[in-house]
Amino acid sequence: MASPEWELQVAIVARLKADAALTALISRRVYDQPPDPVTYPYVTIGEAQFLRDDATCISGGEIYVTMHGLVEICRLSGS
């Protein structure tokens, strides 16, 4: 069984890539770790943290996920 953080990340990535409005902006560029060189704009899924909050009869918790949307503001050239 996968960790809750991983299962949520997979669901988030699938939802982001299926969203037509977002896909029009970022062309399905959703990364764990962006490639080098990267094409802008894109979204990264960062660190996830699962905080257990079990009760007597159930297992549960909260998951916190860091996400960033990045756009290129300007491009510096050495020439």
Side-chain angles (χ1 to χ4, degrees):
M1 181 177 192
S3 71
E5 303 97 309
W6 176 249
E7 290 180 11
L8 180 59
Q9 181 175 336
V10 169
I12 289 171
V13 169
R15 178 65 75 100
L16 291 173
K17 288 184 175 183
D19 185 276
L22 184 63
T23 299
L25 295 172
I26 67 168
S27 184
R28 300 178 54 91
R29 289 186 294 269
V30 180
Y31 305 117
D32 234 0
Q33 181 68 37
D36 186 27
V38 68
T39 301
Y40 291 91
Y42 65 92
V43 171
T44 60
I45 308 291
E47 182 179 338
Q49 182 180 22
F50 179 65
L51 301 177
R52 295 199 72 81
D53 189 19
D54 296 337
T56 303
C57 59
I58 60 169
S59 297
E62 296 179 354
I63 301 172
Y64 297 90
V65 179
T66 302
M67 296 175 48
H68 299 278
L70 298 162
V71 296
E72 186 176 38
I73 302 301
C74 64
R75 183 174 291 162
L76 300 176
S77 174
S79 53

